[in-house]
Amino acid sequence: MITIKKSLNNSMLLVDNDQREMILFGKGIGFGAKPGTHIDLAQVEKVFLPLSDLKSRHFLSLTDTIPAAFFDISHEILILARSLCGDKLNSVLLFTLAEHLHFAVERSRSGQTILNKLSWEVKRYYHLEYSVGLQARARVNEKFDVELPEDEAVNIAFHLINASSQEDDSTAHQQVELVNRIADIVRYKLGKTIDTQSVNYMRFITHLRYFAERVLAGKIALSETEDFYQELMRHRPDAMTVSWAIRDYVQDKYQLTLPKDELTWLSIHISRLMDGQA
């Protein structure tokens, strides 16, 4: 039985579900809600994780200090992001984004601007997230009658990158920097122009994004694809040489040893780039 403990704002309720605190979201469900009464689940749009740790308690505290309008627009952005980037985004984004947008609007109104040093990298390697960031920035500008700086679209994209990770402590900035560094290594080793608009390059960058997430989480796969690895050694030693340069960088930077399975997939993508070089 789900019992209301507190109305956090017009769209959010703190409830008790079998002696576990949870937050429910739904347009208007908090209006007139009375503690001790039961909630109609038909009104609930989203159920958030139980409030069982310090991080969750922090999210709960945000509802006391941040106006409900920021949670409402963050919910809109979350729906938009999931429609474009997939359902992988976790629900924590509602809270982290609401907190970020609240401070962004306050900074804008006081004339403060914070530049993002990785704007170019996000625009180049995270097209969908940046697209959501642009649309989100426009919505915030209209809703709160402000003019957020252009880099806020990038900052919003960073929140989406973090929310797409399976690791709670992931750092979007580190992920973007690693993707960019590996792409630089590949461009340097190939020594020729790469068609960055090609399907093969887009697939390579997508692979790098998940690869970077695994590296930063320290969860590199331990499987060894010996047959494919030996085939590439024989037929594409040029691509394998580039993947070894990536291996050496990761080993030096993160003290991680890449197994043959990771090197195999990197080499396959790199060989496709080499075949399509200008």
Side-chain angles (χ1 to χ4, degrees), residues 185 189 240-251 263:
I185 290 173
K189 288 294 183 179
M240 190 64 75
T241 298
V242 180
S243 70
W244 286 341
I246 297 171
R247 175 200 63 190
D248 293 344
Y249 174 77
V250 170
Q251 173 69 46
L263 295 174

Side-chain angles (χ1 to χ4, degrees), residues 147-165:
E147 186 63 32
L148 298 182
E150 293 183 3
D151 270 12
E152 277 304 327
V154 176
N155 294 334
I156 293 169
F158 270 117
H159 280 279
L160 301 182
I161 296 168
N162 266 334
S164 68
S165 173

Side-chain angles (χ1 to χ4, degrees), residues 175-277:
Q175 187 182 136
V176 174
E177 287 175 338
L178 180 53
V179 168
N180 185 54
R181 179 59 182 143
I182 295 175
D184 281 346
I185 290 173
V186 172
R187 283 194 295 269
Y188 174 76
K189 288 294 183 179
L190 296 187
K192 294 182 180 181
T193 302
I194 299 175
D195 181 5
T196 58
Q197 301 303 313
S198 69
V199 172
N200 284 335
Y201 186 77
M202 296 300 182
R203 287 173 177 168
F204 173 60
I205 293 301
T206 298
H207 179 78
L208 284 190
R209 290 175 53 171
Y210 289 109
F211 173 76
E213 184 177 323
R214 293 195 298 277
V215 168
L216 293 172
K219 293 186 176 180
I220 290 296
L222 297 178
S223 59
E224 299 285 353
T225 314
E226 187 67 32
D227 291 342
F228 285 140
Y229 184 82
Q230 294 301 328
E231 281 294 308
L232 285 167
M233 285 280 288
R234 285 192 293 270
H235 300 292
R236 297 309 302 256
D238 47 359
M240 190 64 75
T241 298
V242 180
S243 70
W244 286 341
I246 297 171
R247 175 200 63 190
D248 293 344
Y249 174 77
V250 170
Q251 173 69 46
D252 180 64
K253 179 75 174 178
Y254 301 99
Q255 290 74 57
L256 282 176
T257 299
L258 296 184
K260 291 178 180 178
D261 191 45
E262 293 285 1
L263 295 174
T264 297
W265 283 108
L266 284 170
S267 298
I268 289 172
H269 283 285
I270 291 167
S271 66
R272 289 171 179 167
L273 291 179
M274 298 175 81
D275 292 342
Q277 281 182 206

Side-chain angles (χ1 to χ4, degrees), residues 47-48 55 62 65 114 125 135 141 149 185 187 214 265:
V47 178
F48 297 101
K55 186 178 291 187
L62 295 179
T65 58
I114 298 178
Y125 302 125
Q135 295 181 62
N141 285 345
I185 290 173
R187 283 194 295 269
R214 293 195 298 277
W265 283 108

Side-chain angles (χ1 to χ4, degrees), residues 79-150:
I79 293 174
L80 171 65
R82 282 179 168 157
S83 70
L84 294 177
C85 304
D87 293 330
K88 188 181 177 183
L89 297 173
N90 62 58
S91 299
V92 168
L93 178 63
L94 179 83
F95 299 93
T96 58
L97 191 55
E99 184 177 31
H100 173 80
L101 293 178
H102 179 241
F103 286 119
V105 168
E106 292 299 308
R107 285 196 301 269
S108 176
R109 287 171 174 167
S110 63
Q112 300 179 45
T113 300
I114 298 178
L115 299 178
N116 194 309
K117 295 181 180 179
L118 293 174
S119 292
W120 181 87
E121 289 82 357
V122 169
K123 293 174 184 177
R124 184 161 189 169
Y125 302 125
Y126 294 81
H127 303 288
L128 287 178
E129 288 85 350
Y130 181 62
S131 173
V132 174
L134 288 173
Q135 295 181 62
R137 172 178 173 264
R139 292 190 184 190
V140 172
N141 285 345
E142 180 179 2
K143 186 176 184 70
F144 298 100
D145 192 25
V146 294
E147 186 63 32
L148 298 182
E150 293 183 3

